[in-house]
Amino acid sequence: MSTYTTPSQRASAPAALLTPSEVASMFRVDPKTVTRWAKAGKLTAIRTLGGHRRYNEAEVRGLLGVPTARPAQD
C-alpha cells in the first residue's frame, strides 16, 4: 500500500509539507535555489527519515503573500 499523497490531499492536511520541486514551481526558481534558501535560513526545512527536505506549505504561502485556506470548523 502506498503512502503517497497528492498536492490536493496535502492541502487539506493540518501540517501540509511540500517538496523542493513544488516550492520551486511556486516561486518560479530552480529546486537547488530552494535548498540554498533553506541552508541560508531563509526557509525552514524539515528532514524526512530518508534525509529529504520538506517545507511547510503555510510558511511558503506566507512568503508568497498567498493566504492559506482554513478548514471549516464544526
Side-chain angles (χ1 to χ4, degrees):
M1 183 163 108
S2 175
T3 57
Y4 176 78
T5 57
T6 64
S8 62
Q9 289 171 325
R10 276 185 239 140
S12 64
L17 299 176
L18 302 171
T19 65
S21 295
E22 291 170 331
V23 175
S25 67
M26 292 171 81
F27 281 98
R28 295 189 174 125
V29 296
D30 192 83
K32 283 288 188 184
T33 301
V34 176
T35 301
R36 281 190 221 108
W37 290 344
K39 286 182 179 180
K42 296 178 181 181
L43 192 59
T44 305
I46 299 167
R47 292 290 190 131
T48 65
L49 292 176
H52 300 279
R53 287 181 177 86
R54 296 293 181 264
Y55 303 92
N56 185 311
E57 183 178 17
E59 179 184 0
V60 172
R61 289 191 182 279
L63 291 171
L64 284 169
V66 177
T68 56
R70 295 183 181 235
Q73 299 284 332
D74 288 31

